[in-house]
């Protein structure tokens, strides 16, 4: 326990922070195949941008396909980012940012434009 | 601003009081409980100042409308936490009331006093998750408290116009609320 008023010094390196590994997808675009991209697709599925694949074992591939491109476009619109359809540095920086676990979009969320 | 499907909200009639309590089992100990209570009292009061809803802390966790706790990894609600940064917290839409924070984060009440590069401002996250508890989903407005992401060592704890418009459309306005005060604070923070 710390006594109030005492400066708390904790130094934790953020290189092993969750999602830090997504940096390797920088500038990936439709048609490319990058090892591990299925993990990024799970991230998009978790926050409502991609539906679970309806293939036999419901698993994502490492291919940047058209479905994933439209998920990236949806994400860029939701976050007010330039809509490029690519994993540019602004988009990746936002993806790797710490965030709330509630889904952004999808069947449970009804967006209201004001 | 955005809502959850069906725009769920708490239904208590005109003068609504919601109770909240902290888990007796799942808390952090490197920030004192009085300090944590102070953070949440401030966060709840930001929302209470714009809508006709009051929030009262109670001791009995089991009977509270809003149940707050710090959990690590898989904690039984199908949304496991993921360690340092990544997902910081989540909360459920009305009238569920569950409010979970990731115990693995380096939570801070005063960011200036913590040296960690991955320190997360507790008041900013608390204010955001209370928005979910009340029925707001994520907003696309970067300045809004209900924008989904929060950079480490950053603070975003004051409600913006988008947050206020969204929540007042659900609950109506607090009779003492003045837009002018909100616009003044927004202008000054924009200038800064």
């Amino acid at each position: 326990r710390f006594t109030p008023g005492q400066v708390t010094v904790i130094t934790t390196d953020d290189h092993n922070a969750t999602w830090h590994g997504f940096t390797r997808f920088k500038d990936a675009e439709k048609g490319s195949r990058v090892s591990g991209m299925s993990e990024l697709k799970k991230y998009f599925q978790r926050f409502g941008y991609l539906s679970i694949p309806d293939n036999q074992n419901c698993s994502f591939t490492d291919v940047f396909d058209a479905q994933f491109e439209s998920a990236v476009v949806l994400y860029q619109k939701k976050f007010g980012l330039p809509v490029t359809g690519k994993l540019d540095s602004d988009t990746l920086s936002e993806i790797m940012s710490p965030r709330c676990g509630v889904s952004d979009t999808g069947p449970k969320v009804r967006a209201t434009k004001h | 601003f955005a809502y959850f499907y069906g725009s769920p909200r708490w239904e208590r009639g005109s003068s609504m009081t919601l109770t909240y309590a902290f888990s007796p089992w799942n808390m952090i100990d490197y920030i004192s409980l009085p300090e944590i209570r102070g953070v949440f009292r401030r966060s709840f009061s930001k929302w209470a100042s714009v809508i006709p809803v009051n929030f009262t802390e109670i001791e009995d966790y089991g009977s509270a409308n809003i149940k707050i706790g710090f959990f690590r990894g898989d904690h039984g609600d199908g949304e496991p936490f993921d360690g340092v940064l990544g997902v910081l917290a989540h909360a459920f839409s009305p009238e569920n009331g569950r409010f979970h924070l990731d115990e693995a984060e380096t939570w801070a009440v005063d960011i200036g006093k913590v040296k960690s590069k991955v320190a997360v401002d507790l008041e900013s996250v608390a204010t955001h998750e209370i928005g979910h508890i009340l029925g707001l989903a994520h907003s696309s407005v970067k300045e809004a408290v209900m924008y989904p992401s929060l950079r480490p060592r950053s603070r975003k704890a004051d409600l913006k116009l988008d947050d206020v418009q969204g929540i007042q459309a659900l609950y109506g306005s607090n009779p003492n609320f003045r837009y002018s005060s909100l616009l003044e604070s927004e202008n000054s923070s924009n200038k800064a």
Side-chain angles (χ1 to χ4, degrees):
Chain A
R1 268 181 95 73
F2 292 96
T3 51
Q6 184 186 14
V7 172
T8 309
V9 180
I10 302 174
T11 54
T12 306
D13 195 344
D14 60 354
H15 280 293
N16 61 358
T18 307
W19 305 332
H20 203 78
F22 289 160
T23 49
R24 66 180 186 279
F25 300 125
K26 185 163 179 317
D27 296 321
E29 56 188 83
K30 194 170 90 175
S32 57
R33 170 192 285 273
V34 182
S35 168
M37 185 165 281
S38 56
E39 289 307 306
L40 183 56
K41 288 183 177 181
K42 282 179 193 165
Y43 171 102
F44 271 70
Q45 184 268 324
R46 168 173 188 170
F47 295 112
Y49 297 96
L50 202 57
S51 47
I52 292 175
D54 55 10
N55 55 28
Q56 196 175 351
N57 46 21
C58 301
S59 61
F60 290 108
T61 70
D62 285 342
V63 176
F64 193 132
D65 52 24
Q67 190 193 13
F68 186 53
E69 184 186 41
S70 44
V72 171
V73 167
L74 189 60
Y75 179 90
Q76 288 167 334
K77 283 179 182 169
K78 178 67 182 177
F79 276 77
L81 295 164
V83 179
T84 63
K86 293 183 183 122
L87 295 172
D88 53 65
S89 50
D90 283 346
T91 304
L92 261 185
S93 166
E94 193 57 62
I95 288 170
M96 293 191 295
S97 280
R99 55 161 293 154
C100 171
V102 174
S103 178
D104 298 334
T105 181
K108 290 180 188 169
V109 177
R110 179 173 75 97
T112 304
K113 275 277 178 233
H114 69 94
Chain B
F1 57 87
Y3 301 126
F4 294 104
Y5 190 74
S7 303
R9 73 204 71 185
W10 295 82
E11 304 283 355
R12 291 282 184 285
S14 60
S15 63
M16 189 183 326
T17 295
L18 295 176
T19 59
Y20 66 92
F22 298 98
S23 164
W25 312 287
N26 300 93
M27 291 297 281
I28 53 175
D29 64 5
Y30 59 89
I31 301 176
S32 69
L33 185 56
E35 278 188 295
I36 291 175
R37 294 172 66 196
V39 166
F40 277 83
R41 193 168 42 246
R42 287 194 298 276
S43 294
F44 276 114
S45 65
K46 294 173 200 287
W47 294 99
S49 69
V50 300
I51 54 174
V53 176
N54 294 300
F55 298 95
T56 304
E57 183 187 342
I58 64 172
E59 288 293 322
D60 181 11
Y61 183 70
S63 67
N65 297 124
I66 303 165
K67 298 176 177 61
I68 302 164
F70 292 78
F71 300 86
R72 184 178 291 271
D74 188 357
H75 51 285
D77 61 8
E79 298 280 344
F81 284 134
D82 51 8
V84 175
L85 299 183
V87 171
L88 301 174
H90 55 225
F92 292 73
S93 55
E95 294 194 344
N96 181 295
R98 283 178 294 167
F99 184 145
H100 300 166
L101 300 112
D102 188 349
E103 189 195 0
E105 307 303 344
T106 302
W107 295 104
V109 175
D110 180 351
I111 284 279
K113 285 186 178 171
V114 178
K115 294 283 174 268
S116 167
K117 283 198 295 187
V118 294
V120 178
D121 181 61
L122 181 59
E123 190 168 328
S124 298
V125 172
T127 308
H128 175 98
E129 299 303 333
I130 292 168
H132 288 319
I133 291 280
L134 290 170
L136 281 177
H138 285 149
S139 168
S140 299
V141 176
K142 267 189 195 316
E143 301 72 35
V145 157
M146 293 314 295
Y147 192 76
S149 63
L150 180 75
R151 306 282 170 153
R153 302 190 64 79
S154 68
R155 181 175 170 84
K156 196 194 297 186
D158 294 321
L159 301 182
K160 293 292 185 285
L161 193 58
D162 183 74
D163 306 306
V164 173
Q165 284 178 328
I167 204 68
Q168 287 187 340
L170 275 182
Y171 294 94
S173 176
N174 181 316
N176 303 316
F177 174 73
R178 292 284 169 275
Y179 260 96
S180 52
S181 57
L182 174 71
L183 292 175
E184 274 165 32
S185 75
E186 245 183 69
N187 286 342
S188 60
S189 63
N190 286 344
K191 277 199 192 82

